Amino acid sequence: MILDLKSLSDNEQISKRQVISLLGQQEEKYQSQIDYLEEQLRLLRNELFGRKSEKPPREDRDQLPLFAPSPDDQVPAKQDAEDEEISIASHKRKKRGRKPFSEHLPRVDVIHDLSDEDKMCACGHQMSRIGQDECEKLDYIPAKVQVERHIRYKYVCKNCEGIEGDGPTIKIAPLPAQLIPKSNTTPGLLAHVITSKFVDALPLYRQQKIFARLGIELSRSTMSNWVIEASLRCRPLIGLLQNQIRGGPCINVDETTLQVLKEPGRHDTSKSYMWLYRGGPPDKLALVYQYAPSRSGQIAEEFIGDYQGYVQSDAFAGYDRFEKKPNIRLMGCWAHARRKFIEVVKVKKKIRSKRKNTKSLADEAVAFIGQLYKIEKKAREHELSFDQIGRLRQEESLPVLEQFKQWLNEKEPLVPPKSLLGKAIAYSLDNWQRLIVYVEDGRLKPDNNAAENAIRPFVVGRKNWLFAGHPRGAEASATFFSLIETAKANGLESYAYLKHVFEQLPLTDEKDYPKLLPGNIDPEATRRPTL
């Protein structure tokens, strides 16, 4: 509403003081709108051009010139003759220089010697060798590719020829069991293709070009069929990982978008999702990725089933259904709560004040959360047990949480609700009961970073191959991301583990499949052999 000053002046019922009051209210309204739009503009600029780190920018001191020393660092031209002596304790300093190459790498000696003519001294005598200088350089040999010729000998019994009209008895050595029957790939090549795609984020069309440089014609469609067929053989292991996740104290859940082509009844531009579940016993962690065309919380609910324990996630409304289950305690994520305040710190106006240590409300909130993480760091440094961590949180974290809750309640009425700070405070208060659950059990974590870190490799791969060409391809991606990331979580090397699975799976009975899970394999058993 815009005030008409002319009409107000003609109205004797409205005093000048009331006009000034209405104008002040209008000014405050417009100023709040301006502040809100400027805040959104700064947030957008920061997301486009700003730094991605969630560490708050340092504003406790003015920025120094690039080359000029600060006043504190300037040395006086003349020093007093009687300077006070300061003794500095001796300390050890790490030697600088290149790190030596790993001892397991093979060494090839390249000898550099003088010619016989140069070994003659000017005095006419032969020079004697007194030592040698050595330096190491790293060389690279392109990948070695070879063809396995499987030769099966045949045998015949010549004494049986013509007996009762039957032909001679012929026997031939059987073919070894294969993961993909009638395929011309080996476990090693298959593990290499899958590792390159899902660990190194190399799409199959790029791998096709790499093989072409080695003189090998290997089409993308052939490799795609290998990946899908191998994933179908490995599906029973995913079911076992799902059961393993349900056996742990907490399940971390997260999801991210995925574009899948040729989905039945959907456009190619439709948005699908890749869900992630992380959990299991602390010494046998398991991760399962699940492709789904929907973001409905029902997807996670069906996966978790009759699980009893904690479920940790972000504040997505799809997870609210877990609060209605008496056997599940839903946990929040302090990293998400802190991120809301960090956004405010990044885009806030620079405070022009003579006081150098002026702090905003967002800085105070970040400091509260920082105290909680200092307690977690203390527990890690002292290598406390789960029971000790639980007691430490009850003694030190709970008082901080109570102070922070009181601070939030006091500041909420003072902050515009639509501002970034207002939204950050509202987020923490709305999810408070979920955020404080972690203090109940020392096995729990205050944030869902483990799930976010686990889903990051998929996001990196998605930036390279952009989409899945078919739902079968999306399911294959989910299968191998599950196996690979679970292997990494249990200290296994990805290629070696996949090769081991591809070699043993055709020979293993179904009842022995648990032996192929990453948590049940010794890392030394799948370590790559020395070159």
Side-chain angles (χ1 to χ4, degrees):
M1 177 181 178
I2 300 177
L3 294 177
D4 189 352
L5 298 179
K6 184 178 180 180
S7 62
L8 288 176
S9 62
D10 296 338
N11 191 345
E12 297 179 355
Q13 296 180 354
I14 300 179
S15 64
K16 292 183 178 180
R17 182 175 298 177
Q18 290 175 322
V19 172
I20 295 174
S21 176
L22 291 175
L23 287 174
Q25 294 176 8
Q26 191 177 73
E27 182 182 4
E28 291 180 0
K29 177 182 177 181
Y30 287 157
Q31 187 60 47
S32 63
Q33 292 178 351
I34 293 172
D35 293 341
Y36 172 76
L37 294 175
E38 287 183 349
E39 193 177 51
Q40 294 299 317
L41 179 60
R42 290 195 298 272
L43 178 61
L44 177 60
R45 286 177 175 173
N46 182 76
E47 291 179 351
L48 291 176
F49 311 112
R51 60 186 215 160
K52 303 302 180 183
S53 173
E54 294 183 1
K55 293 183 179 180
R58 297 184 61 185
E59 295 184 357
D60 54 342
R61 64 169 182 260
D62 297 331
Q63 183 176 359
L64 298 177
L66 289 177
F67 303 104
S70 64
D72 296 337
D73 295 335
Q74 293 179 357
V75 181
K78 296 182 179 180
Q79 296 181 351
D80 295 338
E82 297 180 358
D83 291 339
E84 184 179 352
E85 294 185 359
I86 300 176
S87 59
I88 301 176
S90 61
H91 62 278
K92 294 182 180 180
R93 179 178 296 172
K94 292 184 178 180
K95 183 179 178 181
R96 300 189 176 212
R98 296 185 183 135
K99 294 182 179 180
F101 298 121
S102 176
E103 293 295 333
H104 81 275
L105 294 174
R107 262 66 174 176
V108 177
D109 294 336
V110 180
I111 306 299
H112 304 277
D113 200 358
L114 298 174
S115 63
D116 293 339
E117 181 180 352
D118 291 336
K119 293 178 184 178
M120 295 297 298
C121 183
C123 66
H125 290 80
Q126 183 79 17
M127 302 182 71
S128 301
R129 190 172 66 181
I130 58 174
Q132 62 188 33
D133 286 343
E134 296 182 3
C135 66
E136 292 188 338
K137 301 179 181 296
L138 190 63
D139 190 18
Y140 175 77
I141 302 174
K144 179 181 178 181
V145 183
Q146 62 186 14
V147 178
E148 289 185 357
R149 295 179 57 199
H150 290 261
I151 302 173
R152 302 189 301 164
Y153 289 127
K154 295 181 179 180
Y155 294 89
V156 64
C157 180
K158 296 183 178 180
N159 294 331
C160 297
E161 289 188 29
I163 297 179
E164 296 180 358
D166 296 333
T169 301
I170 299 177
K171 293 183 178 181
I172 185 173
L175 273 173
Q178 292 180 284
L179 185 72
I180 305 177
K182 299 181 180 180
S183 170
N184 60 352
T185 184
T186 62
L189 176 60
L190 186 58
H192 171 75
V193 170
I194 294 174
T195 302
S196 298
K197 178 174 174 62
F198 299 111
V199 177
D200 303 327
L202 277 177
L204 295 181
Y205 77 90
R206 293 184 188 174
Q207 296 191 49
Q208 180 181 356
K209 295 179 180 179
I210 294 174
F211 282 118
R213 291 202 301 266
L214 298 174
I216 302 171
E217 294 184 6
L218 197 56
S219 68
R220 179 173 53 179
S221 60
T222 298
M223 290 186 286
S224 178
N225 291 333
W226 288 350
V227 174
I228 292 176
E229 290 295 327
S231 69
L232 295 177
R233 303 298 189 278
C234 295
R235 287 299 301 175
L237 300 182
I238 305 303
L240 295 176
L241 289 178
Q242 181 176 356
N243 294 333
Q244 188 170 320
I245 288 177
R246 292 171 178 168
C250 179
I251 298 179
N252 301 92
V253 189
D254 200 3
E255 79 289 330
T256 187
T257 57
L258 169 67
Q259 185 178 357
V260 182
L261 309 183
K262 300 180 182 179
E263 287 183 306
R266 306 186 75 198
H267 296 290
D268 288 346
T269 55
S270 300
K271 186 182 295 185
S272 298
Y273 290 88
M274 185 68 76
W275 293 75
L276 167 70
Y277 311 91
R278 180 186 183 275
D283 58 335
K284 292 184 179 181
L285 291 175
L287 294 90
V288 171
Y289 294 72
Q290 181 187 22
Y291 152 70
S294 167
R295 200 190 181 190
S296 170
Q298 184 179 358
I299 305 296
E301 185 179 17
E302 292 176 353
F303 181 93
I304 292 176
D306 56 354
Y307 164 78
Q308 296 183 0
Y310 296 91
V311 173
Q312 190 169 33
S313 65
D314 54 24
F316 170 52
Y319 301 121
D320 293 347
R321 63 182 62 221
F322 289 120
E323 286 188 324
K324 301 177 182 178
K325 292 182 173 295
N327 56 330
I328 288 180
R329 286 278 283 155
L330 188 59
M331 298 176 56
C333 174
W334 274 108
H336 281 79
R338 181 181 184 273
R339 197 169 296 154
K340 303 290 184 182
F341 292 103
I342 289 294
E343 289 179 355
V344 183
V345 175
K346 286 183 177 180
V347 303
K348 69 179 180 180
K349 293 181 179 179
K350 293 184 178 180
I351 302 175
R352 297 181 179 272
S353 174
K354 295 182 180 180
R355 296 177 299 172
K356 293 186 177 181
N357 294 326
T358 302
K359 289 188 176 181
S360 66
L361 294 180
D363 291 319
E364 295 180 19
V366 172
F368 272 114
I369 301 175
Q371 293 182 46
L372 298 176
Y373 278 93
K374 285 182 180 179
I375 298 172
E376 300 301 310
K377 182 179 180 181
K378 177 181 177 181
R380 291 193 303 270
E381 291 177 346
H382 290 80
E383 299 180 353
L384 302 182
S385 64
F386 293 136
D387 293 337
Q388 292 173 329
I389 294 175
R391 290 194 295 268
L392 178 66
R393 290 172 177 171
Q394 293 291 327
E395 295 172 0
E396 299 187 15
S397 299
L398 273 182
V400 177
L401 289 170
E402 293 174 356
Q403 295 175 14
F404 189 33
K405 177 67 178 307
Q406 182 180 357
W407 183 91
L408 292 171
N409 290 329
E410 292 175 355
K411 304 304 179 185
E412 183 186 23
L414 308 178
V415 179
K418 290 186 177 181
S419 65
L420 289 179
L421 181 57
K423 293 178 180 179
I425 292 177
Y427 180 93
S428 297
L429 289 175
D430 293 343
N431 296 277
W432 187 258
Q433 294 304 320
R434 301 180 186 179
L435 290 172
I436 63 175
V437 172
Y438 82 98
V439 300
E440 297 177 359
D441 195 323
R443 297 172 297 177
L444 306 177
K445 301 295 182 182
D447 52 53
N448 201 34
N449 285 347
E452 291 192 356
N453 293 335
I455 211 167
R456 188 172 291 116
F458 173 81
V459 176
V460 173
R462 185 184 59 195
K463 291 181 179 179
N464 287 270
W465 37 258
L466 301 180
F467 54 82
H470 194 275
R472 291 197 304 269
E475 292 173 355
S477 299
T479 296
F480 286 118
F481 271 112
S482 301
L483 294 176
I484 289 170
E485 294 305 316
T486 302
K488 289 163 61 176
N490 287 272
L492 302 179
E493 198 273 324
S494 304
Y495 168 84
Y497 170 71
L498 289 178
K499 185 173 183 291
H500 175 76
V501 170
F502 296 158
E503 290 173 344
Q504 299 299 320
L505 192 59
L507 307 175
T508 305
D509 294 332
E510 187 174 352
K511 59 181 179 62
D512 294 328
Y513 280 172
K515 296 180 180 179
L516 298 179
L517 297 181
N520 298 329
I521 296 179
D522 183 7
E524 295 296 332
T526 58
R527 197 172 299 279
R528 289 197 186 192
T530 303
L531 297 176

mmCIF file with all atom_site columns, all heavy atoms in Angstrom, residues 151-162:
data_model
loop_
_atom_site.group_PDB
_atom_site.id
_atom_site.type_symbol
_atom_site.label_atom_id
_atom_site.label_alt_id
_atom_site.label_comp_id
_atom_site.label_asym_id
_atom_site.label_entity_id
_atom_site.label_seq_id
_atom_site.pdbx_PDB_ins_code
_atom_site.Cartn_x
_atom_site.Cartn_y
_atom_site.Cartn_z
_atom_site.occupancy
_atom_site.B_iso_or_equiv
_atom_site.pdbx_formal_charge
_atom_site.auth_seq_id
_atom_site.auth_comp_id
_atom_site.auth_asym_id
_atom_site.auth_atom_id
_atom_site.pdbx_PDB_model_num
ATOM 1   N N   . ILE A 1 151 ? 42.369 -74.418  -24.079 1.00 0.00 ? 151 ILE A N   1
ATOM 2   C CA  . ILE A 1 151 ? 42.536 -75.618  -24.908 1.00 0.00 ? 151 ILE A CA  1
ATOM 3   C C   . ILE A 1 151 ? 42.039 -76.813  -24.115 1.00 0.00 ? 151 ILE A C   1
ATOM 4   O O   . ILE A 1 151 ? 42.537 -77.114  -23.025 1.00 0.00 ? 151 ILE A O   1
ATOM 5   C CB  . ILE A 1 151 ? 44.011 -75.805  -25.303 1.00 0.00 ? 151 ILE A CB  1
ATOM 6   C CG1 . ILE A 1 151 ? 44.500 -74.551  -26.051 1.00 0.00 ? 151 ILE A CG1 1
ATOM 7   C CG2 . ILE A 1 151 ? 44.177 -77.050  -26.156 1.00 0.00 ? 151 ILE A CG2 1
ATOM 8   C CD1 . ILE A 1 151 ? 45.982 -74.566  -26.329 1.00 0.00 ? 151 ILE A CD1 1
ATOM 9   N N   . ARG A 1 152 ? 41.059 -77.507  -24.668 1.00 0.00 ? 152 ARG A N   1
ATOM 10  C CA  . ARG A 1 152 ? 40.480 -78.679  -23.995 1.00 0.00 ? 152 ARG A CA  1
ATOM 11  C C   . ARG A 1 152 ? 40.839 -79.926  -24.803 1.00 0.00 ? 152 ARG A C   1
ATOM 12  O O   . ARG A 1 152 ? 40.479 -80.070  -25.979 1.00 0.00 ? 152 ARG A O   1
ATOM 13  C CB  . ARG A 1 152 ? 38.965 -78.537  -23.882 1.00 0.00 ? 152 ARG A CB  1
ATOM 14  C CG  . ARG A 1 152 ? 38.530 -77.281  -23.122 1.00 0.00 ? 152 ARG A CG  1
ATOM 15  C CD  . ARG A 1 152 ? 37.037 -77.303  -22.849 1.00 0.00 ? 152 ARG A CD  1
ATOM 16  N NE  . ARG A 1 152 ? 36.238 -77.378  -24.056 1.00 0.00 ? 152 ARG A NE  1
ATOM 17  C CZ  . ARG A 1 152 ? 34.955 -77.715  -24.078 1.00 0.00 ? 152 ARG A CZ  1
ATOM 18  N NH1 . ARG A 1 152 ? 34.333 -78.012  -22.959 1.00 0.00 ? 152 ARG A NH1 1
ATOM 19  N NH2 . ARG A 1 152 ? 34.295 -77.772  -25.217 1.00 0.00 ? 152 ARG A NH2 1
ATOM 20  N N   . TYR A 1 153 ? 41.561 -80.807  -24.186 1.00 0.00 ? 153 TYR A N   1
ATOM 21  C CA  . TYR A 1 153 ? 41.965 -82.041  -24.868 1.00 0.00 ? 153 TYR A CA  1
ATOM 22  C C   . TYR A 1 153 ? 40.806 -83.030  -24.920 1.00 0.00 ? 153 TYR A C   1
ATOM 23  O O   . TYR A 1 153 ? 40.024 -83.151  -23.987 1.00 0.00 ? 153 TYR A O   1
ATOM 24  C CB  . TYR A 1 153 ? 43.160 -82.679  -24.153 1.00 0.00 ? 153 TYR A CB  1
ATOM 25  C CG  . TYR A 1 153 ? 44.450 -81.899  -24.327 1.00 0.00 ? 153 TYR A CG  1
ATOM 26  C CD1 . TYR A 1 153 ? 45.202 -81.516  -23.224 1.00 0.00 ? 153 TYR A CD1 1
ATOM 27  C CD2 . TYR A 1 153 ? 44.900 -81.572  -25.602 1.00 0.00 ? 153 TYR A CD2 1
ATOM 28  C CE1 . TYR A 1 153 ? 46.381 -80.808  -23.378 1.00 0.00 ? 153 TYR A CE1 1
ATOM 29  C CE2 . TYR A 1 153 ? 46.082 -80.872  -25.760 1.00 0.00 ? 153 TYR A CE2 1
ATOM 30  C CZ  . TYR A 1 153 ? 46.805 -80.478  -24.649 1.00 0.00 ? 153 TYR A CZ  1
ATOM 31  O OH  . TYR A 1 153 ? 47.971 -79.780  -24.813 1.00 0.00 ? 153 TYR A OH  1
ATOM 32  N N   . LYS A 1 154 ? 40.741 -83.719  -26.030 1.00 0.00 ? 154 LYS A N   1
ATOM 33  C CA  . LYS A 1 154 ? 39.735 -84.760  -26.226 1.00 0.00 ? 154 LYS A CA  1
ATOM 34  C C   . LYS A 1 154 ? 40.414 -86.127  -26.164 1.00 0.00 ? 154 LYS A C   1
ATOM 35  O O   . LYS A 1 154 ? 41.551 -86.295  -26.596 1.00 0.00 ? 154 LYS A O   1
ATOM 36  C CB  . LYS A 1 154 ? 39.050 -84.607  -27.588 1.00 0.00 ? 154 LYS A CB  1
ATOM 37  C CG  . LYS A 1 154 ? 38.228 -83.338  -27.748 1.00 0.00 ? 154 LYS A CG  1
ATOM 38  C CD  . LYS A 1 154 ? 37.567 -83.308  -29.128 1.00 0.00 ? 154 LYS A CD  1
ATOM 39  C CE  . LYS A 1 154 ? 36.722 -82.058  -29.293 1.00 0.00 ? 154 LYS A CE  1
ATOM 40  N NZ  . LYS A 1 154 ? 36.074 -82.026  -30.647 1.00 0.00 ? 154 LYS A NZ  1
ATOM 41  N N   . TYR A 1 155 ? 39.680 -87.107  -25.670 1.00 0.00 ? 155 TYR A N   1
ATOM 42  C CA  . TYR A 1 155 ? 40.192 -88.471  -25.561 1.00 0.00 ? 155 TYR A CA  1
ATOM 43  C C   . TYR A 1 155 ? 39.152 -89.443  -26.108 1.00 0.00 ? 155 TYR A C   1
ATOM 44  O O   . TYR A 1 155 ? 37.945 -89.240  -25.966 1.00 0.00 ? 155 TYR A O   1
ATOM 45  C CB  . TYR A 1 155 ? 40.524 -88.825  -24.103 1.00 0.00 ? 155 TYR A CB  1
ATOM 46  C CG  . TYR A 1 155 ? 41.674 -88.002  -23.538 1.00 0.00 ? 155 TYR A CG  1
ATOM 47  C CD1 . TYR A 1 155 ? 41.433 -86.779  -22.919 1.00 0.00 ? 155 TYR A CD1 1
ATOM 48  C CD2 . TYR A 1 155 ? 42.980 -88.465  -23.643 1.00 0.00 ? 155 TYR A CD2 1
ATOM 49  C CE1 . TYR A 1 155 ? 42.471 -86.027  -22.414 1.00 0.00 ? 155 TYR A CE1 1
ATOM 50  C CE2 . TYR A 1 155 ? 44.027 -87.715  -23.140 1.00 0.00 ? 155 TYR A CE2 1
ATOM 51  C CZ  . TYR A 1 155 ? 43.771 -86.498  -22.533 1.00 0.00 ? 155 TYR A CZ  1
ATOM 52  O OH  . TYR A 1 155 ? 44.806 -85.753  -22.040 1.00 0.00 ? 155 TYR A OH  1
ATOM 53  N N   . VAL A 1 156 ? 39.663 -90.510  -26.737 1.00 0.00 ? 156 VAL A N   1
ATOM 54  C CA  . VAL A 1 156 ? 38.790 -91.528  -27.311 1.00 0.00 ? 156 VAL A CA  1
ATOM 55  C C   . VAL A 1 156 ? 39.347 -92.912  -26.966 1.00 0.00 ? 156 VAL A C   1
ATOM 56  O O   . VAL A 1 156 ? 40.566 -93.097  -26.839 1.00 0.00 ? 156 VAL A O   1
ATOM 57  C CB  . VAL A 1 156 ? 38.686 -91.357  -28.845 1.00 0.00 ? 156 VAL A CB  1
ATOM 58  C CG1 . VAL A 1 156 ? 40.046 -91.572  -29.508 1.00 0.00 ? 156 VAL A CG1 1
ATOM 59  C CG2 . VAL A 1 156 ? 37.649 -92.312  -29.430 1.00 0.00 ? 156 VAL A CG2 1
ATOM 60  N N   . CYS A 1 157 ? 38.448 -93.840  -26.775 1.00 0.00 ? 157 CYS A N   1
ATOM 61  C CA  . CYS A 1 157 ? 38.851 -95.235  -26.532 1.00 0.00 ? 157 CYS A CA  1
ATOM 62  C C   . CYS A 1 157 ? 38.704 -96.007  -27.847 1.00 0.00 ? 157 CYS A C   1
ATOM 63  O O   . CYS A 1 157 ? 37.588 -96.279  -28.308 1.00 0.00 ? 157 CYS A O   1
ATOM 64  C CB  . CYS A 1 157 ? 37.983 -95.854  -25.441 1.00 0.00 ? 157 CYS A CB  1
ATOM 65  S SG  . CYS A 1 157 ? 38.392 -97.580  -25.075 1.00 0.00 ? 157 CYS A SG  1
ATOM 66  N N   . LYS A 1 158 ? 39.826 -96.367  -28.455 1.00 0.00 ? 158 LYS A N   1
ATOM 67  C CA  . LYS A 1 158 ? 39.774 -97.053  -29.748 1.00 0.00 ? 158 LYS A CA  1
ATOM 68  C C   . LYS A 1 158 ? 39.285 -98.490  -29.622 1.00 0.00 ? 158 LYS A C   1
ATOM 69  O O   . LYS A 1 158 ? 38.815 -99.077  -30.595 1.00 0.00 ? 158 LYS A O   1
ATOM 70  C CB  . LYS A 1 158 ? 41.154 -97.025  -30.387 1.00 0.00 ? 158 LYS A CB  1
ATOM 71  C CG  . LYS A 1 158 ? 41.614 -95.606  -30.725 1.00 0.00 ? 158 LYS A CG  1
ATOM 72  C CD  . LYS A 1 158 ? 42.958 -95.609  -31.429 1.00 0.00 ? 158 LYS A CD  1
ATOM 73  C CE  . LYS A 1 158 ? 43.372 -94.193  -31.800 1.00 0.00 ? 158 LYS A CE  1
ATOM 74  N NZ  . LYS A 1 158 ? 44.672 -94.167  -32.495 1.00 0.00 ? 158 LYS A NZ  1
ATOM 75  N N   . ASN A 1 159 ? 39.377 -99.079  -28.443 1.00 0.00 ? 159 ASN A N   1
ATOM 76  C CA  . ASN A 1 159 ? 38.903 -100.451 -28.268 1.00 0.00 ? 159 ASN A CA  1
ATOM 77  C C   . ASN A 1 159 ? 37.387 -100.550 -28.317 1.00 0.00 ? 159 ASN A C   1
ATOM 78  O O   . ASN A 1 159 ? 36.826 -101.641 -28.481 1.00 0.00 ? 159 ASN A O   1
ATOM 79  C CB  . ASN A 1 159 ? 39.391 -101.013 -26.929 1.00 0.00 ? 159 ASN A CB  1
ATOM 80  C CG  . ASN A 1 159 ? 40.900 -101.173 -26.902 1.00 0.00 ? 159 ASN A CG  1
ATOM 81  O OD1 . ASN A 1 159 ? 41.518 -101.399 -27.950 1.00 0.00 ? 159 ASN A OD1 1
ATOM 82  N ND2 . ASN A 1 159 ? 41.486 -101.052 -25.723 1.00 0.00 ? 159 ASN A ND2 1
ATOM 83  N N   . CYS A 1 160 ? 36.702 -99.409  -28.111 1.00 0.00 ? 160 CYS A N   1
ATOM 84  C CA  . CYS A 1 160 ? 35.237 -99.431  -28.110 1.00 0.00 ? 160 CYS A CA  1
ATOM 85  C C   . CYS A 1 160 ? 34.646 -99.207  -29.494 1.00 0.00 ? 160 CYS A C   1
ATOM 86  O O   . CYS A 1 160 ? 33.426 -99.123  -29.632 1.00 0.00 ? 160 CYS A O   1
ATOM 87  C CB  . CYS A 1 160 ? 34.701 -98.365  -27.157 1.00 0.00 ? 160 CYS A CB  1
ATOM 88  S SG  . CYS A 1 160 ? 35.155 -98.646  -25.431 1.00 0.00 ? 160 CYS A SG  1
ATOM 89  N N   . GLU A 1 161 ? 35.476 -99.031  -30.489 1.00 0.00 ? 161 GLU A N   1
ATOM 90  C CA  . GLU A 1 161 ? 34.957 -98.724  -31.815 1.00 0.00 ? 161 GLU A CA  1
ATOM 91  C C   . GLU A 1 161 ? 34.144 -99.889  -32.344 1.00 0.00 ? 161 GLU A C   1
ATOM 92  O O   . GLU A 1 161 ? 34.591 -101.037 -32.361 1.00 0.00 ? 161 GLU A O   1
ATOM 93  C CB  . GLU A 1 161 ? 36.105 -98.415  -32.776 1.00 0.00 ? 161 GLU A CB  1
ATOM 94  C CG  . GLU A 1 161 ? 36.790 -97.085  -32.485 1.00 0.00 ? 161 GLU A CG  1
ATOM 95  C CD  . GLU A 1 161 ? 37.787 -96.749  -33.577 1.00 0.00 ? 161 GLU A CD  1
ATOM 96  O OE1 . GLU A 1 161 ? 37.567 -97.185  -34.709 1.00 0.00 ? 161 GLU A OE1 1
ATOM 97  O OE2 . GLU A 1 161 ? 38.762 -96.049  -33.275 1.00 0.00 ? 161 GLU A OE2 1
ATOM 98  N N   . GLY A 1 162 ? 32.914 -99.572  -32.746 1.00 0.00 ? 162 GLY A N   1
ATOM 99  C CA  . GLY A 1 162 ? 32.091 -100.574 -33.413 1.00 0.00 ? 162 GLY A CA  1
ATOM 100 C C   . GLY A 1 162 ? 31.432 -101.572 -32.506 1.00 0.00 ? 162 GLY A C   1
ATOM 101 O O   . GLY A 1 162 ? 30.798 -102.506 -32.986 1.00 0.00 ? 162 GLY A O   1
#
